[in-house]
PDB file of all heavy atoms in Angstrom:
ATOM      1  N   VAL B  35     100.377 167.666 222.679  1.00  0.00           N
ATOM      2  CA  VAL B  35      99.547 167.654 221.480  1.00  0.00           C
ATOM      3  C   VAL B  35      98.235 168.423 221.722  1.00  0.00           C
ATOM      4  O   VAL B  35      97.478 168.055 222.610  1.00  0.00           O
ATOM      5  CB  VAL B  35      99.189 166.193 221.104  1.00  0.00           C
ATOM      6  CG1 VAL B  35      98.322 166.162 219.860  1.00  0.00           C
ATOM      7  CG2 VAL B  35     100.442 165.371 220.915  1.00  0.00           C
ATOM      8  N   ASN B  57      93.033 163.890 208.791  1.00  0.00           N
ATOM      9  CA  ASN B  57      93.283 162.898 209.844  1.00  0.00           C
ATOM     10  C   ASN B  57      94.049 163.567 211.021  1.00  0.00           C
ATOM     11  O   ASN B  57      95.010 164.282 210.815  1.00  0.00           O
ATOM     12  CB  ASN B  57      94.112 161.735 209.337  1.00  0.00           C
ATOM     13  CG  ASN B  57      93.357 160.973 208.293  1.00  0.00           C
ATOM     14  OD1 ASN B  57      93.734 160.867 207.160  1.00  0.00           O
ATOM     15  ND2 ASN B  57      92.168 160.481 208.685  1.00  0.00           N
ATOM     16  N   GLY B  58      93.562 163.321 212.184  1.00  0.00           N
ATOM     17  CA  GLY B  58      94.241 163.854 213.368  1.00  0.00           C
ATOM     18  C   GLY B  58      93.803 165.298 213.622  1.00  0.00           C
ATOM     19  O   GLY B  58      94.411 165.991 214.439  1.00  0.00           O
ATOM     20  N   ASN B 105      86.654 153.266 215.656  1.00  0.00           N
ATOM     21  CA  ASN B 105      87.159 151.886 215.704  1.00  0.00           C
ATOM     22  C   ASN B 105      86.114 151.131 216.453  1.00  0.00           C
ATOM     23  O   ASN B 105      85.893 151.329 217.613  1.00  0.00           O
ATOM     24  CB  ASN B 105      88.449 151.805 216.535  1.00  0.00           C
ATOM     25  CG  ASN B 105      89.597 152.476 215.784  1.00  0.00           C
ATOM     26  OD1 ASN B 105      89.602 152.566 214.603  1.00  0.00           O
ATOM     27  ND2 ASN B 105      90.531 152.986 216.557  1.00  0.00           N
ATOM     28  N   PRO B 172      80.947 140.494 209.468  1.00  0.00           N
ATOM     29  CA  PRO B 172      81.833 141.333 208.666  1.00  0.00           C
ATOM     30  C   PRO B 172      81.723 142.758 209.148  1.00  0.00           C
ATOM     31  O   PRO B 172      80.740 143.210 209.750  1.00  0.00           O
ATOM     32  CB  PRO B 172      81.318 141.203 207.236  1.00  0.00           C
ATOM     33  CG  PRO B 172      79.962 140.576 207.349  1.00  0.00           C
ATOM     34  CD  PRO B 172      79.899 139.854 208.642  1.00  0.00           C
ATOM     35  N   GLY B 174      81.167 145.691 207.925  1.00  0.00           N
ATOM     36  CA  GLY B 174      80.063 146.574 207.584  1.00  0.00           C
ATOM     37  C   GLY B 174      78.850 146.338 208.485  1.00  0.00           C
ATOM     38  O   GLY B 174      78.205 147.260 208.925  1.00  0.00           O
ATOM     39  N   GLU B 196      82.464 158.343 211.678  1.00  0.00           N
ATOM     40  CA  GLU B 196      82.746 157.609 210.458  1.00  0.00           C
ATOM     41  C   GLU B 196      81.914 156.335 210.312  1.00  0.00           C
ATOM     42  O   GLU B 196      82.450 155.230 210.249  1.00  0.00           O
ATOM     43  CB  GLU B 196      84.264 157.266 210.393  1.00  0.00           C
ATOM     44  CG  GLU B 196      85.111 158.490 210.496  1.00  0.00           C
ATOM     45  CD  GLU B 196      86.563 158.243 210.022  1.00  0.00           C
ATOM     46  OE1 GLU B 196      86.798 157.269 209.331  1.00  0.00           O
ATOM     47  OE2 GLU B 196      87.412 159.080 210.354  1.00  0.00           O
ATOM     48  N   GLY B 200      84.959 151.960 205.286  1.00  0.00           N
ATOM     49  CA  GLY B 200      85.068 150.545 204.951  1.00  0.00           C
ATOM     50  C   GLY B 200      83.815 149.965 204.293  1.00  0.00           C
ATOM     51  O   GLY B 200      83.600 148.774 204.361  1.00  0.00           O
ATOM     52  N   ASN B 202      81.259 149.797 200.744  1.00  0.00           N
ATOM     53  CA  ASN B 202      81.205 150.191 199.312  1.00  0.00           C
ATOM     54  C   ASN B 202      79.986 151.050 199.064  1.00  0.00           C
ATOM     55  O   ASN B 202      79.189 151.282 199.985  1.00  0.00           O
ATOM     56  CB  ASN B 202      81.263 148.959 198.440  1.00  0.00           C
ATOM     57  CG  ASN B 202      80.058 148.077 198.602  1.00  0.00           C
ATOM     58  OD1 ASN B 202      79.036 148.499 199.092  1.00  0.00           O
ATOM     59  ND2 ASN B 202      80.160 146.821 198.200  1.00  0.00           N
ATOM     60  N   VAL B 203      79.904 151.508 197.870  1.00  0.00           N
ATOM     61  CA  VAL B 203      78.886 152.536 197.609  1.00  0.00           C
ATOM     62  C   VAL B 203      77.487 152.051 197.969  1.00  0.00           C
ATOM     63  O   VAL B 203      76.697 152.776 198.626  1.00  0.00           O
ATOM     64  CB  VAL B 203      78.927 152.945 196.112  1.00  0.00           C
ATOM     65  CG1 VAL B 203      77.799 153.880 195.810  1.00  0.00           C
ATOM     66  CG2 VAL B 203      80.282 153.560 195.827  1.00  0.00           C
ATOM     67  N   GLU B 205      76.564 149.907 200.125  1.00  0.00           N
ATOM     68  CA  GLU B 205      76.370 149.848 201.571  1.00  0.00           C
ATOM     69  C   GLU B 205      76.285 151.262 202.164  1.00  0.00           C
ATOM     70  O   GLU B 205      75.568 151.499 203.107  1.00  0.00           O
ATOM     71  CB  GLU B 205      77.541 149.054 202.205  1.00  0.00           C
ATOM     72  CG  GLU B 205      77.414 147.615 201.848  1.00  0.00           C
ATOM     73  CD  GLU B 205      78.744 146.869 201.844  1.00  0.00           C
ATOM     74  OE1 GLU B 205      79.820 147.562 201.981  1.00  0.00           O
ATOM     75  OE2 GLU B 205      78.748 145.659 201.712  1.00  0.00           O
ATOM     76  N   ASP B 208      72.874 152.392 201.756  1.00  0.00           N
ATOM     77  CA  ASP B 208      72.002 151.824 202.782  1.00  0.00           C
ATOM     78  C   ASP B 208      72.148 152.653 204.078  1.00  0.00           C
ATOM     79  O   ASP B 208      71.160 153.017 204.726  1.00  0.00           O
ATOM     80  CB  ASP B 208      72.374 150.386 203.084  1.00  0.00           C
ATOM     81  CG  ASP B 208      71.865 149.444 202.004  1.00  0.00           C
ATOM     82  OD1 ASP B 208      70.989 149.860 201.247  1.00  0.00           O
ATOM     83  OD2 ASP B 208      72.391 148.317 201.924  1.00  0.00           O
ATOM     84  N   ARG B 211      70.542 155.902 204.047  1.00  0.00           N
ATOM     85  CA  ARG B 211      69.098 155.746 204.173  1.00  0.00           C
ATOM     86  C   ARG B 211      68.690 155.602 205.642  1.00  0.00           C
ATOM     87  O   ARG B 211      67.778 156.237 206.107  1.00  0.00           O
ATOM     88  CB  ARG B 211      68.668 154.548 203.358  1.00  0.00           C
ATOM     89  CG  ARG B 211      67.211 154.389 203.186  1.00  0.00           C
ATOM     90  CD  ARG B 211      66.911 153.436 202.013  1.00  0.00           C
ATOM     91  NE  ARG B 211      67.707 152.219 202.109  1.00  0.00           N
ATOM     92  CZ  ARG B 211      67.386 151.214 202.934  1.00  0.00           C
ATOM     93  NH1 ARG B 211      66.301 151.286 203.666  1.00  0.00           N
ATOM     94  NH2 ARG B 211      68.140 150.134 202.957  1.00  0.00           N
ATOM     95  N   ASP B 236      76.000 165.521 200.374  1.00  0.00           N
ATOM     96  CA  ASP B 236      74.615 165.186 200.047  1.00  0.00           C
ATOM     97  C   ASP B 236      73.664 165.283 201.216  1.00  0.00           C
ATOM     98  O   ASP B 236      72.543 165.704 201.092  1.00  0.00           O
ATOM     99  CB  ASP B 236      74.566 163.759 199.467  1.00  0.00           C
ATOM    100  CG  ASP B 236      75.090 163.728 198.021  1.00  0.00           C
ATOM    101  OD1 ASP B 236      75.396 164.820 197.496  1.00  0.00           O
ATOM    102  OD2 ASP B 236      75.214 162.633 197.498  1.00  0.00           O
ATOM    103  N   ILE B 237      74.099 164.757 202.361  1.00  0.00           N
ATOM    104  CA  ILE B 237      73.092 164.610 203.406  1.00  0.00           C
ATOM    105  C   ILE B 237      73.160 165.614 204.548  1.00  0.00           C
ATOM    106  O   ILE B 237      72.268 165.710 205.337  1.00  0.00           O
ATOM    107  CB  ILE B 237      73.073 163.178 204.011  1.00  0.00           C
ATOM    108  CG1 ILE B 237      74.295 162.897 204.842  1.00  0.00           C
ATOM    109  CG2 ILE B 237      72.885 162.149 202.917  1.00  0.00           C
ATOM    110  CD1 ILE B 237      74.177 161.577 205.609  1.00  0.00           C
ATOM    111  N   TYR B 246      93.864 170.430 212.390  1.00  0.00           N
ATOM    112  CA  TYR B 246      94.819 170.440 213.470  1.00  0.00           C
ATOM    113  C   TYR B 246      94.270 171.168 214.716  1.00  0.00           C
ATOM    114  O   TYR B 246      94.904 172.004 215.310  1.00  0.00           O
ATOM    115  CB  TYR B 246      96.149 171.078 213.063  1.00  0.00           C
ATOM    116  CG  TYR B 246      96.816 170.267 211.985  1.00  0.00           C
ATOM    117  CD1 TYR B 246      97.367 170.828 210.877  1.00  0.00           C
ATOM    118  CD2 TYR B 246      96.837 168.859 212.093  1.00  0.00           C
ATOM    119  CE1 TYR B 246      97.955 170.095 209.885  1.00  0.00           C
ATOM    120  CE2 TYR B 246      97.380 168.068 211.112  1.00  0.00           C
ATOM    121  CZ  TYR B 246      97.942 168.705 209.988  1.00  0.00           C
ATOM    122  OH  TYR B 246      98.484 167.912 209.028  1.00  0.00           O
ATOM    123  N   TYR B 268      92.010 170.232 203.271  1.00  0.00           N
ATOM    124  CA  TYR B 268      91.302 168.959 203.354  1.00  0.00           C
ATOM    125  C   TYR B 268      90.858 168.381 202.023  1.00  0.00           C
ATOM    126  O   TYR B 268      91.216 167.240 201.718  1.00  0.00           O
ATOM    127  CB  TYR B 268      90.084 169.154 204.267  1.00  0.00           C
ATOM    128  CG  TYR B 268      89.320 167.881 204.512  1.00  0.00           C
ATOM    129  CD1 TYR B 268      89.974 166.774 205.050  1.00  0.00           C
ATOM    130  CD2 TYR B 268      87.975 167.790 204.192  1.00  0.00           C
ATOM    131  CE1 TYR B 268      89.263 165.603 205.241  1.00  0.00           C
ATOM    132  CE2 TYR B 268      87.273 166.608 204.411  1.00  0.00           C
ATOM    133  CZ  TYR B 268      87.905 165.502 204.942  1.00  0.00           C
ATOM    134  OH  TYR B 268      87.252 164.375 205.174  1.00  0.00           O
TER     135      TYR B 268
ATOM    136  N   ASN E  70      80.681 143.803 202.073  1.00  0.00           N
ATOM    137  CA  ASN E  70      81.064 143.417 203.405  1.00  0.00           C
ATOM    138  C   ASN E  70      80.836 141.902 203.560  1.00  0.00           C
ATOM    139  O   ASN E  70      79.815 141.389 203.199  1.00  0.00           O
ATOM    140  CB  ASN E  70      80.198 144.136 204.436  1.00  0.00           C
ATOM    141  CG  ASN E  70      80.670 145.516 204.645  1.00  0.00           C
ATOM    142  OD1 ASN E  70      79.899 146.454 204.638  1.00  0.00           O
ATOM    143  ND2 ASN E  70      81.967 145.702 204.811  1.00  0.00           N
ATOM    144  N   GLY E  71      81.852 141.289 204.116  1.00  0.00           N
ATOM    145  CA  GLY E  71      81.712 139.864 204.409  1.00  0.00           C
ATOM    146  C   GLY E  71      81.873 138.960 203.197  1.00  0.00           C
ATOM    147  O   GLY E  71      81.600 137.802 203.261  1.00  0.00           O
ATOM    148  N   ARG E 124      94.122 148.383 211.026  1.00  0.00           N
ATOM    149  CA  ARG E 124      95.332 149.029 211.490  1.00  0.00           C
ATOM    150  C   ARG E 124      96.322 148.188 212.283  1.00  0.00           C
ATOM    151  O   ARG E 124      97.451 147.985 211.864  1.00  0.00           O
ATOM    152  CB  ARG E 124      95.010 150.283 212.327  1.00  0.00           C
ATOM    153  CG  ARG E 124      94.431 151.332 211.443  1.00  0.00           C
ATOM    154  CD  ARG E 124      93.245 151.963 212.071  1.00  0.00           C
ATOM    155  NE  ARG E 124      92.369 152.548 211.063  1.00  0.00           N
ATOM    156  CZ  ARG E 124      91.262 153.155 211.365  1.00  0.00           C
ATOM    157  NH1 ARG E 124      90.884 153.299 212.590  1.00  0.00           N
ATOM    158  NH2 ARG E 124      90.519 153.615 210.411  1.00  0.00           N
ATOM    159  N   ARG E 163     102.543 163.660 208.040  1.00  0.00           N
ATOM    160  CA  ARG E 163     101.821 163.684 209.315  1.00  0.00           C
ATOM    161  C   ARG E 163     102.492 162.712 210.305  1.00  0.00           C
ATOM    162  O   ARG E 163     102.557 162.975 211.499  1.00  0.00           O
ATOM    163  CB  ARG E 163     100.374 163.239 209.079  1.00  0.00           C
ATOM    164  CG  ARG E 163      99.482 163.227 210.280  1.00  0.00           C
ATOM    165  CD  ARG E 163      99.089 164.592 210.751  1.00  0.00           C
ATOM    166  NE  ARG E 163      98.440 164.530 212.057  1.00  0.00           N
ATOM    167  CZ  ARG E 163      98.402 165.545 212.905  1.00  0.00           C
ATOM    168  NH1 ARG E 163      98.975 166.667 212.621  1.00  0.00           N
ATOM    169  NH2 ARG E 163      97.814 165.396 214.074  1.00  0.00           N
ATOM    170  N   ARG E 167     104.195 163.209 214.281  1.00  0.00           N
ATOM    171  CA  ARG E 167     103.728 162.448 215.428  1.00  0.00           C
ATOM    172  C   ARG E 167     104.675 161.310 215.784  1.00  0.00           C
ATOM    173  O   ARG E 167     104.304 160.404 216.520  1.00  0.00           O
ATOM    174  CB  ARG E 167     102.339 161.824 215.110  1.00  0.00           C
ATOM    175  CG  ARG E 167     101.312 162.797 214.623  1.00  0.00           C
ATOM    176  CD  ARG E 167     100.756 163.706 215.709  1.00  0.00           C
ATOM    177  NE  ARG E 167      99.838 163.031 216.558  1.00  0.00           N
ATOM    178  CZ  ARG E 167      99.945 162.942 217.886  1.00  0.00           C
ATOM    179  NH1 ARG E 167     100.924 163.518 218.473  1.00  0.00           N
ATOM    180  NH2 ARG E 167      99.045 162.321 218.587  1.00  0.00           N
ATOM    181  N   SER E 176      95.355 159.386 216.004  1.00  0.00           N
ATOM    182  CA  SER E 176      94.020 159.296 215.442  1.00  0.00           C
ATOM    183  C   SER E 176      93.908 158.084 214.490  1.00  0.00           C
ATOM    184  O   SER E 176      94.926 157.517 214.080  1.00  0.00           O
ATOM    185  CB  SER E 176      93.651 160.542 214.689  1.00  0.00           C
ATOM    186  OG  SER E 176      94.167 160.490 213.381  1.00  0.00           O
ATOM    187  N   GLY E 204      89.046 155.164 206.581  1.00  0.00           N
ATOM    188  CA  GLY E 204      89.248 156.150 207.638  1.00  0.00           C
ATOM    189  C   GLY E 204      90.249 157.241 207.241  1.00  0.00           C
ATOM    190  O   GLY E 204      90.650 158.045 208.070  1.00  0.00           O
ATOM    191  N   ALA E 206      91.362 160.686 205.159  1.00  0.00           N
ATOM    192  CA  ALA E 206      90.805 161.828 204.537  1.00  0.00           C
ATOM    193  C   ALA E 206      90.986 161.744 202.998  1.00  0.00           C
ATOM    194  O   ALA E 206      91.946 161.109 202.564  1.00  0.00           O
ATOM    195  CB  ALA E 206      91.489 163.094 205.048  1.00  0.00           C
ATOM    196  N   PRO E 207      90.049 162.336 202.265  1.00  0.00           N
ATOM    197  CA  PRO E 207      90.053 162.146 200.831  1.00  0.00           C
ATOM    198  C   PRO E 207      91.429 162.376 200.178  1.00  0.00           C
ATOM    199  O   PRO E 207      91.867 161.591 199.349  1.00  0.00           O
ATOM    200  CB  PRO E 207      89.046 163.172 200.309  1.00  0.00           C
ATOM    201  CG  PRO E 207      88.277 163.592 201.475  1.00  0.00           C
ATOM    202  CD  PRO E 207      89.006 163.226 202.695  1.00  0.00           C
ATOM    203  N   GLN E 208      92.080 163.471 200.630  1.00  0.00           N
ATOM    204  CA  GLN E 208      93.290 163.720 199.876  1.00  0.00           C
ATOM    205  C   GLN E 208      94.380 162.726 200.249  1.00  0.00           C
ATOM    206  O   GLN E 208      95.193 162.373 199.420  1.00  0.00           O
ATOM    207  CB  GLN E 208      93.636 165.213 200.003  1.00  0.00           C
ATOM    208  CG  GLN E 208      94.823 165.719 200.574  1.00  0.00           C
ATOM    209  CD  GLN E 208      94.368 166.662 201.734  1.00  0.00           C
ATOM    210  OE1 GLN E 208      93.522 166.302 202.549  1.00  0.00           O
ATOM    211  NE2 GLN E 208      94.941 167.834 201.819  1.00  0.00           N
ATOM    212  N   GLN E 233      87.062 148.638 199.374  1.00  0.00           N
ATOM    213  CA  GLN E 233      85.653 148.953 199.229  1.00  0.00           C
ATOM    214  C   GLN E 233      85.488 150.162 198.349  1.00  0.00           C
ATOM    215  O   GLN E 233      84.437 150.308 197.709  1.00  0.00           O
ATOM    216  CB  GLN E 233      85.070 149.272 200.614  1.00  0.00           C
ATOM    217  CG  GLN E 233      85.059 148.147 201.556  1.00  0.00           C
ATOM    218  CD  GLN E 233      83.884 147.221 201.325  1.00  0.00           C
ATOM    219  OE1 GLN E 233      83.269 147.266 200.262  1.00  0.00           O
ATOM    220  NE2 GLN E 233      83.609 146.397 202.290  1.00  0.00           N
ATOM    221  N   TYR E 272      78.605 149.049 192.489  1.00  0.00           N
ATOM    222  CA  TYR E 272      79.842 149.317 193.162  1.00  0.00           C
ATOM    223  C   TYR E 272      80.303 150.767 193.034  1.00  0.00           C
ATOM    224  O   TYR E 272      81.079 151.280 193.790  1.00  0.00           O
ATOM    225  CB  TYR E 272      80.956 148.374 192.673  1.00  0.00           C
ATOM    226  CG  TYR E 272      80.796 147.022 193.256  1.00  0.00           C
ATOM    227  CD1 TYR E 272      80.078 146.046 192.577  1.00  0.00           C
ATOM    228  CD2 TYR E 272      81.308 146.692 194.525  1.00  0.00           C
ATOM    229  CE1 TYR E 272      79.891 144.797 193.115  1.00  0.00           C
ATOM    230  CE2 TYR E 272      81.087 145.479 195.074  1.00  0.00           C
ATOM    231  CZ  TYR E 272      80.400 144.508 194.335  1.00  0.00           C
ATOM    232  OH  TYR E 272      80.212 143.308 194.910  1.00  0.00           O
ATOM    233  N   PHE E 283      73.231 160.734 197.596  1.00  0.00           N
ATOM    234  CA  PHE E 283      72.975 159.822 198.699  1.00  0.00           C
ATOM    235  C   PHE E 283      71.651 160.134 199.351  1.00  0.00           C
ATOM    236  O   PHE E 283      71.059 159.314 200.037  1.00  0.00           O
ATOM    237  CB  PHE E 283      74.100 159.891 199.750  1.00  0.00           C
ATOM    238  CG  PHE E 283      75.322 159.148 199.331  1.00  0.00           C
ATOM    239  CD1 PHE E 283      76.400 159.817 198.769  1.00  0.00           C
ATOM    240  CD2 PHE E 283      75.404 157.775 199.462  1.00  0.00           C
ATOM    241  CE1 PHE E 283      77.526 159.142 198.385  1.00  0.00           C
ATOM    242  CE2 PHE E 283      76.484 157.088 199.055  1.00  0.00           C
ATOM    243  CZ  PHE E 283      77.590 157.778 198.511  1.00  0.00           C
ATOM    244  N   ARG E 284      71.205 161.362 199.173  1.00  0.00           N
ATOM    245  CA  ARG E 284      69.928 161.731 199.759  1.00  0.00           C
ATOM    246  C   ARG E 284      68.766 161.087 199.006  1.00  0.00           C
ATOM    247  O   ARG E 284      67.746 160.758 199.597  1.00  0.00           O
ATOM    248  CB  ARG E 284      69.787 163.232 199.801  1.00  0.00           C
ATOM    249  CG  ARG E 284      68.615 163.691 200.642  1.00  0.00           C
ATOM    250  CD  ARG E 284      68.592 165.181 200.782  1.00  0.00           C
ATOM    251  NE  ARG E 284      69.480 165.697 201.773  1.00  0.00           N
ATOM    252  CZ  ARG E 284      69.274 165.633 203.095  1.00  0.00           C
ATOM    253  NH1 ARG E 284      68.201 165.027 203.534  1.00  0.00           N
ATOM    254  NH2 ARG E 284      70.127 166.137 203.954  1.00  0.00           N
ATOM    255  N   LYS E 287      67.358 157.115 199.290  1.00  0.00           N
ATOM    256  CA  LYS E 287      66.646 156.673 200.467  1.00  0.00           C
ATOM    257  C   LYS E 287      65.228 156.235 200.114  1.00  0.00           C
ATOM    258  O   LYS E 287      64.641 155.405 200.802  1.00  0.00           O
ATOM    259  CB  LYS E 287      66.605 157.792 201.480  1.00  0.00           C
ATOM    260  CG  LYS E 287      65.310 158.470 201.742  1.00  0.00           C
ATOM    261  CD  LYS E 287      65.521 159.488 202.804  1.00  0.00           C
ATOM    262  CE  LYS E 287      64.264 160.237 203.193  1.00  0.00           C
ATOM    263  NZ  LYS E 287      63.198 159.485 203.711  1.00  0.00           N
ATOM    264  N   ARG E 292      68.423 145.488 195.826  1.00  0.00           N
ATOM    265  CA  ARG E 292      69.649 144.760 196.020  1.00  0.00           C
ATOM    266  C   ARG E 292      69.796 143.827 194.873  1.00  0.00           C
ATOM    267  O   ARG E 292      68.810 143.236 194.433  1.00  0.00           O
ATOM    268  CB  ARG E 292      69.612 143.938 197.306  1.00  0.00           C
ATOM    269  CG  ARG E 292      69.618 144.792 198.535  1.00  0.00           C
ATOM    270  CD  ARG E 292      70.478 144.133 199.589  1.00  0.00           C
ATOM    271  NE  ARG E 292      71.283 145.172 200.195  1.00  0.00           N
ATOM    272  CZ  ARG E 292      72.419 144.889 200.843  1.00  0.00           C
ATOM    273  NH1 ARG E 292      72.861 143.671 200.937  1.00  0.00           N
ATOM    274  NH2 ARG E 292      73.124 145.876 201.359  1.00  0.00           N
TER     275      ARG E 292
END
Side-chain angles (χ1 to χ4, degrees):
Chain B
V35 181
N57 296 119
N105 291 332
E196 302 197 18
N202 65 20
V203 174
E205 290 153 353
D208 284 342
R211 191 161 48 80
D236 285 354
I237 71 172
Y246 297 135
Y268 184 57
Chain E
N70 282 132
R124 290 135 204 181
R163 180 76 190 155
R167 308 285 285 126
S176 82
Q208 119 237 47
Q233 294 279 18
Y272 285 93
F283 283 98
R284 191 174 279 285
K287 110 179 182 62
R292 290 219 136 201

